[in-house]
Amino acid sequence: MSMNILFEAVREVVVKKTGKTDIQTIEYEVWQTPTNDTYKIHNSANPVKAYCDWVLQYDAKDEIVDVFDDEENLIGSKTVNFGKEHIDEFLEWVKSAESEGYEVRTVVI
């Protein structure tokens, strides 16, 4: 069984009505990583950077993809880089979570 990495963000909140504290957790599912790479990322001093570096090693090439209109007619092509797009979305999630008081960490699943 392969072990994979999951990024979660955790924060402690106080419920105004009761005064009790609670833990809130949100998750961001990332690409599946080979078990050895999972543990390297998890044990890294900076797991976010380590994961981004892994993605760029794995899939950082530009690709030309077809573009279709709403009726599925081919209307052209465009260049995409799925690895860089994934990293951009992931880093935006990290930034947003941290700005909302979450601490981002990894979990091996």
Side-chain angles (χ1 to χ4, degrees), residues 5-56:
I5 198 88
L6 171 73
F7 281 85
E8 68 177 13
V10 179
R11 70 180 175 184
E12 185 176 309
V13 295
V14 177
V15 180
K16 286 177 78 173
K17 189 172 186 176
T18 64
K20 293 182 181 180
T21 59
D22 194 17
I23 302 295
Q24 290 182 332
T25 304
I26 56 175
E27 298 177 346
Y28 192 90
E29 291 185 32
V30 294
W31 292 356
Q32 281 191 317
T33 51
T35 298
N36 289 341
D37 293 328
T38 295
Y39 285 106
K40 286 178 188 174
I41 294 166
H42 180 67
N43 293 322
S44 166
N46 185 341
V48 169
K49 181 180 181 326
Y51 175 73
C52 292
D53 291 345
W54 177 83
V55 169
L56 290 175

Short mmCIF file of all heavy atoms in Angstrom, two decimals, residues 5-56:
data_model
loop_
_atom_site.label_atom_id
_atom_site.label_comp_id
_atom_site.label_asym_id
_atom_site.label_seq_id
_atom_site.Cartn_x
_atom_site.Cartn_y
_atom_site.Cartn_z
N ILE A 5 0.74 11.97 0.77
CA ILE A 5 0.80 13.19 1.58
C ILE A 5 -0.54 13.92 1.47
O ILE A 5 -1.18 13.91 0.43
CB ILE A 5 1.97 14.09 1.13
CG1 ILE A 5 2.32 15.12 2.19
CG2 ILE A 5 1.70 14.77 -0.18
CD1 ILE A 5 3.31 14.61 3.17
N LEU A 6 -0.95 14.51 2.57
CA LEU A 6 -2.14 15.35 2.60
C LEU A 6 -1.75 16.61 3.35
O LEU A 6 -1.08 16.54 4.39
CB LEU A 6 -3.28 14.64 3.34
CG LEU A 6 -4.52 15.47 3.63
CD1 LEU A 6 -5.32 15.71 2.34
CD2 LEU A 6 -5.41 14.78 4.67
N PHE A 7 -2.14 17.75 2.83
CA PHE A 7 -1.90 19.00 3.54
C PHE A 7 -3.19 19.39 4.26
O PHE A 7 -4.27 19.33 3.68
CB PHE A 7 -1.48 20.11 2.57
CG PHE A 7 -0.04 20.01 2.17
CD1 PHE A 7 0.34 19.19 1.13
CD2 PHE A 7 0.93 20.72 2.85
CE1 PHE A 7 1.68 19.08 0.76
CE2 PHE A 7 2.27 20.62 2.49
CZ PHE A 7 2.64 19.79 1.44
N GLU A 8 -3.03 19.73 5.52
CA GLU A 8 -4.17 20.21 6.29
C GLU A 8 -3.78 21.50 6.98
O GLU A 8 -2.61 21.76 7.24
CB GLU A 8 -4.65 19.17 7.30
CG GLU A 8 -3.71 18.90 8.43
CD GLU A 8 -4.27 17.92 9.46
OE1 GLU A 8 -5.28 17.25 9.21
OE2 GLU A 8 -3.66 17.82 10.54
N ALA A 9 -4.79 22.30 7.24
CA ALA A 9 -4.60 23.55 7.96
C ALA A 9 -5.47 23.49 9.21
O ALA A 9 -6.64 23.12 9.14
CB ALA A 9 -4.97 24.73 7.08
N VAL A 10 -4.88 23.84 10.34
CA VAL A 10 -5.55 23.70 11.62
C VAL A 10 -5.49 25.02 12.38
O VAL A 10 -4.47 25.71 12.35
CB VAL A 10 -4.86 22.59 12.46
CG1 VAL A 10 -5.52 22.44 13.81
CG2 VAL A 10 -4.84 21.27 11.71
N ARG A 11 -6.60 25.35 13.03
CA ARG A 11 -6.60 26.53 13.90
C ARG A 11 -7.52 26.28 15.09
O ARG A 11 -8.46 25.50 15.01
CB ARG A 11 -7.03 27.80 13.15
CG ARG A 11 -8.49 27.82 12.76
CD ARG A 11 -8.83 29.10 12.03
NE ARG A 11 -10.21 29.07 11.55
CZ ARG A 11 -10.76 30.02 10.82
NH1 ARG A 11 -10.05 31.07 10.47
NH2 ARG A 11 -12.02 29.92 10.43
N GLU A 12 -7.21 26.96 16.16
CA GLU A 12 -8.05 26.90 17.36
C GLU A 12 -8.94 28.13 17.35
O GLU A 12 -8.47 29.25 17.11
CB GLU A 12 -7.18 26.88 18.61
CG GLU A 12 -7.97 26.70 19.89
CD GLU A 12 -7.07 26.58 21.11
OE1 GLU A 12 -6.14 25.75 21.08
OE2 GLU A 12 -7.31 27.33 22.06
N VAL A 13 -10.21 27.93 17.59
CA VAL A 13 -11.16 29.03 17.61
C VAL A 13 -11.92 29.02 18.93
O VAL A 13 -12.04 28.00 19.59
CB VAL A 13 -12.17 28.95 16.43
CG1 VAL A 13 -11.46 29.12 15.10
CG2 VAL A 13 -12.96 27.67 16.47
N VAL A 14 -12.43 30.18 19.30
CA VAL A 14 -13.27 30.31 20.49
C VAL A 14 -14.70 30.57 20.01
O VAL A 14 -14.95 31.47 19.21
CB VAL A 14 -12.80 31.47 21.39
CG1 VAL A 14 -13.73 31.64 22.58
CG2 VAL A 14 -11.37 31.24 21.84
N VAL A 15 -15.62 29.74 20.49
CA VAL A 15 -17.03 29.91 20.15
C VAL A 15 -17.59 31.03 21.02
O VAL A 15 -17.60 30.91 22.25
CB VAL A 15 -17.80 28.58 20.37
CG1 VAL A 15 -19.27 28.76 20.02
CG2 VAL A 15 -17.17 27.46 19.57
N LYS A 16 -18.01 32.12 20.39
CA LYS A 16 -18.45 33.29 21.14
C LYS A 16 -19.62 32.98 22.07
O LYS A 16 -19.66 33.44 23.21
CB LYS A 16 -18.85 34.41 20.17
CG LYS A 16 -17.66 35.09 19.51
CD LYS A 16 -18.11 36.13 18.51
CE LYS A 16 -18.55 37.38 19.22
NZ LYS A 16 -18.84 38.50 18.30
N LYS A 17 -20.55 32.19 21.60
CA LYS A 17 -21.76 31.92 22.38
C LYS A 17 -21.47 31.13 23.65
O LYS A 17 -22.07 31.39 24.69
CB LYS A 17 -22.77 31.17 21.51
CG LYS A 17 -24.12 31.02 22.13
CD LYS A 17 -25.11 30.44 21.15
CE LYS A 17 -26.51 30.44 21.75
NZ LYS A 17 -27.50 29.97 20.78
N THR A 18 -20.53 30.17 23.58
CA THR A 18 -20.27 29.31 24.73
C THR A 18 -18.95 29.61 25.42
O THR A 18 -18.72 29.18 26.55
CB THR A 18 -20.24 27.83 24.30
OG1 THR A 18 -19.14 27.63 23.40
CG2 THR A 18 -21.55 27.43 23.65
N GLY A 19 -18.05 30.29 24.73
CA GLY A 19 -16.73 30.56 25.28
C GLY A 19 -15.79 29.36 25.20
O GLY A 19 -14.65 29.43 25.63
N LYS A 20 -16.27 28.28 24.63
CA LYS A 20 -15.43 27.07 24.51
C LYS A 20 -14.52 27.19 23.29
O LYS A 20 -14.84 27.87 22.32
CB LYS A 20 -16.31 25.83 24.38
CG LYS A 20 -17.09 25.53 25.63
CD LYS A 20 -17.89 24.26 25.46
CE LYS A 20 -18.70 23.98 26.73
NZ LYS A 20 -19.48 22.76 26.60
N THR A 21 -13.39 26.49 23.37
CA THR A 21 -12.48 26.45 22.23
C THR A 21 -12.74 25.19 21.43
O THR A 21 -13.21 24.17 21.95
CB THR A 21 -11.01 26.48 22.68
OG1 THR A 21 -10.76 25.36 23.52
CG2 THR A 21 -10.69 27.76 23.40
N ASP A 22 -12.45 25.28 20.15
CA ASP A 22 -12.62 24.16 19.24
C ASP A 22 -11.49 24.21 18.22
O ASP A 22 -10.88 25.24 18.01
CB ASP A 22 -13.99 24.26 18.54
CG ASP A 22 -14.39 22.98 17.84
OD1 ASP A 22 -13.82 21.91 18.15
OD2 ASP A 22 -15.30 23.03 16.98
N ILE A 23 -11.23 23.08 17.61
CA ILE A 23 -10.21 22.98 16.57
C ILE A 23 -10.91 22.87 15.21
O ILE A 23 -11.78 22.02 15.04
CB ILE A 23 -9.30 21.76 16.79
CG1 ILE A 23 -8.62 21.82 18.16
CG2 ILE A 23 -8.28 21.62 15.66
CD1 ILE A 23 -7.67 22.98 18.33
N GLN A 24 -10.55 23.75 14.30
CA GLN A 24 -11.06 23.69 12.92
C GLN A 24 -9.95 23.18 12.02
O GLN A 24 -8.80 23.60 12.16
CB GLN A 24 -11.53 25.05 12.44
CG GLN A 24 -12.77 25.55 13.11
CD GLN A 24 -13.21 26.89 12.54
OE1 GLN A 24 -12.41 27.68 12.06
NE2 GLN A 24 -14.51 27.16 12.61
N THR A 25 -10.33 22.30 11.11
CA THR A 25 -9.36 21.74 10.17
C THR A 25 -9.93 21.79 8.76
O THR A 25 -11.10 21.46 8.55
CB THR A 25 -9.05 20.27 10.53
OG1 THR A 25 -8.60 20.21 11.88
CG2 THR A 25 -7.99 19.69 9.62
N ILE A 26 -9.10 22.24 7.82
CA ILE A 26 -9.44 22.15 6.40
C ILE A 26 -8.32 21.38 5.72
O ILE A 26 -7.18 21.36 6.20
CB ILE A 26 -9.65 23.53 5.75
CG1 ILE A 26 -8.43 24.43 5.94
CG2 ILE A 26 -10.91 24.20 6.30
CD1 ILE A 26 -8.53 25.78 5.22
N GLU A 27 -8.66 20.71 4.63
CA GLU A 27 -7.67 19.88 3.93
C GLU A 27 -7.53 20.31 2.47
O GLU A 27 -8.46 20.86 1.88
CB GLU A 27 -8.10 18.42 3.96
CG GLU A 27 -8.19 17.84 5.36
CD GLU A 27 -8.70 16.41 5.35
OE1 GLU A 27 -9.24 15.94 4.32
OE2 GLU A 27 -8.56 15.74 6.39
N TYR A 28 -6.36 20.02 1.94
CA TYR A 28 -6.09 20.24 0.52
C TYR A 28 -5.47 18.97 -0.02
O TYR A 28 -4.36 18.60 0.37
CB TYR A 28 -5.15 21.43 0.31
CG TYR A 28 -5.07 21.89 -1.12
CD1 TYR A 28 -5.94 22.85 -1.61
CD2 TYR A 28 -4.14 21.34 -2.00
CE1 TYR A 28 -5.87 23.28 -2.93
CE2 TYR A 28 -4.07 21.76 -3.32
CZ TYR A 28 -4.94 22.73 -3.78
OH TYR A 28 -4.87 23.14 -5.08
N GLU A 29 -6.21 18.29 -0.87
CA GLU A 29 -5.69 17.06 -1.45
C GLU A 29 -4.75 17.41 -2.61
O GLU A 29 -5.12 18.15 -3.51
CB GLU A 29 -6.83 16.17 -1.93
CG GLU A 29 -7.65 15.61 -0.79
CD GLU A 29 -8.71 14.64 -1.25
OE1 GLU A 29 -8.49 13.93 -2.26
OE2 GLU A 29 -9.76 14.59 -0.60
N VAL A 30 -3.56 16.88 -2.53
CA VAL A 30 -2.56 17.15 -3.56
C VAL A 30 -2.34 15.88 -4.38
O VAL A 30 -2.97 14.86 -4.15
CB VAL A 30 -1.24 17.64 -2.92
CG1 VAL A 30 -1.45 19.01 -2.27
CG2 VAL A 30 -0.71 16.66 -1.90
N TRP A 31 -1.43 15.96 -5.32
CA TRP A 31 -1.15 14.82 -6.19
C TRP A 31 -0.58 13.66 -5.38
O TRP A 31 0.11 13.86 -4.38
CB TRP A 31 -0.15 15.21 -7.26
CG TRP A 31 -0.68 16.18 -8.28
CD1 TRP A 31 -1.96 16.67 -8.36
CD2 TRP A 31 0.04 16.77 -9.33
NE1 TRP A 31 -2.07 17.53 -9.41
CE2 TRP A 31 -0.85 17.61 -10.03
CE3 TRP A 31 1.35 16.69 -9.77
CZ2 TRP A 31 -0.47 18.35 -11.15
CZ3 TRP A 31 1.73 17.43 -10.87
CH2 TRP A 31 0.83 18.24 -11.55
N GLN A 32 -0.86 12.45 -5.84
CA GLN A 32 -0.30 11.27 -5.19
C GLN A 32 1.21 11.28 -5.35
O GLN A 32 1.73 11.56 -6.44
CB GLN A 32 -0.86 10.00 -5.80
CG GLN A 32 -2.23 9.64 -5.31
CD GLN A 32 -2.61 8.25 -5.75
OE1 GLN A 32 -2.37 7.86 -6.88
NE2 GLN A 32 -3.21 7.51 -4.85
N THR A 33 1.88 10.96 -4.26
CA THR A 33 3.33 10.90 -4.27
C THR A 33 3.78 9.49 -3.96
O THR A 33 3.12 8.79 -3.17
CB THR A 33 3.91 11.86 -3.20
OG1 THR A 33 3.27 11.59 -1.95
CG2 THR A 33 3.68 13.32 -3.57
N PRO A 34 4.88 9.03 -4.54
CA PRO A 34 5.43 7.74 -4.15
C PRO A 34 5.78 7.76 -2.66
O PRO A 34 6.12 8.82 -2.10
CB PRO A 34 6.69 7.61 -5.00
CG PRO A 34 6.46 8.52 -6.17
CD PRO A 34 5.65 9.66 -5.62
N THR A 35 5.70 6.62 -2.02
CA THR A 35 5.89 6.55 -0.57
C THR A 35 7.19 7.20 -0.12
O THR A 35 7.20 7.97 0.85
CB THR A 35 5.82 5.08 -0.10
OG1 THR A 35 4.51 4.58 -0.42
CG2 THR A 35 6.05 4.96 1.39
N ASN A 36 8.30 6.92 -0.79
CA ASN A 36 9.58 7.53 -0.39
C ASN A 36 9.52 9.05 -0.45
O ASN A 36 10.02 9.74 0.44
CB ASN A 36 10.73 7.01 -1.26
CG ASN A 36 11.08 5.58 -0.96
OD1 ASN A 36 10.75 5.04 0.10
ND2 ASN A 36 11.76 4.94 -1.89
N ASP A 37 8.92 9.57 -1.51
CA ASP A 37 8.80 11.02 -1.65
C ASP A 37 7.82 11.60 -0.61
O ASP A 37 8.03 12.71 -0.12
CB ASP A 37 8.35 11.39 -3.06
CG ASP A 37 9.40 11.06 -4.10
OD1 ASP A 37 10.60 11.14 -3.78
OD2 ASP A 37 9.03 10.70 -5.24
N THR A 38 6.80 10.84 -0.29
CA THR A 38 5.84 11.27 0.73
C THR A 38 6.57 11.56 2.04
O THR A 38 6.39 12.61 2.66
CB THR A 38 4.77 10.19 0.96
OG1 THR A 38 4.00 10.04 -0.24
CG2 THR A 38 3.86 10.55 2.12
N TYR A 39 7.41 10.62 2.47
CA TYR A 39 8.12 10.80 3.73
C TYR A 39 9.18 11.90 3.65
O TYR A 39 9.39 12.63 4.63
CB TYR A 39 8.72 9.48 4.21
CG TYR A 39 7.65 8.57 4.78
CD1 TYR A 39 7.21 7.46 4.08
CD2 TYR A 39 7.07 8.86 6.01
CE1 TYR A 39 6.21 6.65 4.59
CE2 TYR A 39 6.09 8.05 6.53
CZ TYR A 39 5.65 6.95 5.82
OH TYR A 39 4.65 6.15 6.33
N LYS A 40 9.81 12.07 2.48
CA LYS A 40 10.77 13.17 2.32
C LYS A 40 10.07 14.52 2.49
O LYS A 40 10.57 15.42 3.15
CB LYS A 40 11.45 13.10 0.95
CG LYS A 40 12.47 12.01 0.84
CD LYS A 40 13.05 11.98 -0.57
CE LYS A 40 13.95 10.78 -0.77
NZ LYS A 40 14.41 10.66 -2.16
N ILE A 41 8.90 14.64 1.87
CA ILE A 41 8.13 15.89 1.97
C ILE A 41 7.67 16.10 3.41
O ILE A 41 7.84 17.18 3.98
CB ILE A 41 6.93 15.87 1.00
CG1 ILE A 41 7.43 15.87 -0.45
CG2 ILE A 41 5.99 17.03 1.27
CD1 ILE A 41 6.37 15.51 -1.48
N HIS A 42 7.10 15.07 4.01
CA HIS A 42 6.55 15.15 5.37
C HIS A 42 7.63 15.52 6.39
O HIS A 42 7.38 16.30 7.31
CB HIS A 42 5.89 13.82 5.74
CG HIS A 42 5.31 13.79 7.10
ND1 HIS A 42 4.22 14.54 7.47
CD2 HIS A 42 5.67 13.09 8.21
CE1 HIS A 42 3.92 14.29 8.74
NE2 HIS A 42 4.79 13.42 9.21
N ASN A 43 8.81 14.95 6.23
CA ASN A 43 9.90 15.17 7.19
C ASN A 43 10.75 16.40 6.87
O ASN A 43 11.69 16.71 7.60
CB ASN A 43 10.78 13.93 7.30
CG ASN A 43 10.01 12.77 7.91
OD1 ASN A 43 9.21 12.94 8.82
ND2 ASN A 43 10.24 11.57 7.39
N SER A 44 10.44 17.08 5.80
CA SER A 44 11.19 18.25 5.38
C SER A 44 10.98 19.40 6.37
O SER A 44 9.93 19.52 7.00
CB SER A 44 10.72 18.67 3.99
OG SER A 44 11.17 19.95 3.67
N ALA A 45 11.96 20.27 6.45
CA ALA A 45 11.83 21.48 7.27
C ALA A 45 10.76 22.41 6.71
O ALA A 45 10.15 23.19 7.43
CB ALA A 45 13.17 22.20 7.37
N ASN A 46 10.52 22.33 5.39
CA ASN A 46 9.51 23.16 4.73
C ASN A 46 8.71 22.28 3.78
O ASN A 46 9.01 22.23 2.57
CB ASN A 46 10.19 24.32 4.00
CG ASN A 46 9.20 25.29 3.40
OD1 ASN A 46 8.02 24.99 3.21
ND2 ASN A 46 9.68 26.47 3.07
N PRO A 47 7.70 21.56 4.28
CA PRO A 47 6.95 20.64 3.44
C PRO A 47 6.26 21.29 2.24
O PRO A 47 6.15 20.67 1.18
CB PRO A 47 5.92 20.03 4.39
CG PRO A 47 6.52 20.20 5.74
CD PRO A 47 7.30 21.48 5.68
N VAL A 48 5.82 22.53 2.38
CA VAL A 48 5.17 23.21 1.25
C VAL A 48 6.17 23.36 0.11
O VAL A 48 5.87 23.01 -1.04
CB VAL A 48 4.59 24.58 1.68
CG1 VAL A 48 4.16 25.39 0.45
CG2 VAL A 48 3.43 24.38 2.64
N LYS A 49 7.36 23.84 0.40
CA LYS A 49 8.39 23.99 -0.63
C LYS A 49 8.81 22.63 -1.18
O LYS A 49 8.97 22.47 -2.40
CB LYS A 49 9.60 24.73 -0.08
CG LYS A 49 10.70 24.93 -1.14
CD LYS A 49 11.88 25.67 -0.58
CE LYS A 49 12.98 25.91 -1.58
NZ LYS A 49 13.21 24.92 -2.59
N ALA A 50 8.97 21.66 -0.30
CA ALA A 50 9.39 20.32 -0.75
C ALA A 50 8.36 19.72 -1.70
O ALA A 50 8.72 19.10 -2.71
CB ALA A 50 9.61 19.41 0.45
N TYR A 51 7.09 19.92 -1.40
CA TYR A 51 6.05 19.40 -2.29
C TYR A 51 6.09 20.13 -3.64
O TYR A 51 6.03 19.50 -4.69
CB TYR A 51 4.66 19.54 -1.65
CG TYR A 51 3.58 19.12 -2.61
CD1 TYR A 51 3.38 17.77 -2.91
CD2 TYR A 51 2.80 20.06 -3.26
CE1 TYR A 51 2.41 17.39 -3.82
CE2 TYR A 51 1.83 19.68 -4.18
CZ TYR A 51 1.64 18.35 -4.45
OH TYR A 51 0.70 17.96 -5.38
N CYS A 52 6.21 21.45 -3.61
CA CYS A 52 6.28 22.22 -4.86
C CYS A 52 7.48 21.78 -5.69
O CYS A 52 7.37 21.62 -6.92
CB CYS A 52 6.34 23.71 -4.57
SG CYS A 52 4.81 24.37 -3.86
N ASP A 53 8.62 21.57 -5.05
CA ASP A 53 9.81 21.11 -5.76
C ASP A 53 9.55 19.74 -6.39
O ASP A 53 9.95 19.49 -7.53
CB ASP A 53 11.01 21.02 -4.82
CG ASP A 53 11.52 22.38 -4.37
OD1 ASP A 53 11.13 23.40 -4.98
OD2 ASP A 53 12.29 22.41 -3.39
N TRP A 54 8.87 18.86 -5.67
CA TRP A 54 8.56 17.53 -6.20
C TRP A 54 7.66 17.64 -7.43
O TRP A 54 7.90 16.99 -8.43
CB TRP A 54 7.88 16.67 -5.12
CG TRP A 54 7.48 15.34 -5.65
CD1 TRP A 54 8.27 14.23 -5.76
CD2 TRP A 54 6.21 14.96 -6.17
NE1 TRP A 54 7.57 13.19 -6.33
CE2 TRP A 54 6.29 13.62 -6.58
CE3 TRP A 54 5.00 15.64 -6.34
CZ2 TRP A 54 5.22 12.94 -7.16
CZ3 TRP A 54 3.93 14.96 -6.91
CH2 TRP A 54 4.05 13.63 -7.31
N VAL A 55 6.64 18.50 -7.37
CA VAL A 55 5.74 18.67 -8.52
C VAL A 55 6.52 19.15 -9.73
O VAL A 55 6.35 18.64 -10.84
CB VAL A 55 4.59 19.65 -8.19
CG1 VAL A 55 3.82 20.03 -9.46
CG2 VAL A 55 3.63 19.04 -7.16
N LEU A 56 7.41 20.12 -9.52
CA LEU A 56 8.18 20.66 -10.65
C LEU A 56 9.11 19.61 -11.24
O LEU A 56 9.35 19.61 -12.46
CB LEU A 56 8.96 21.90 -10.22
CG LEU A 56 8.10 23.12 -9.93
CD1 LEU A 56 8.94 24.26 -9.39
CD2 LEU A 56 7.32 23.55 -11.17
#
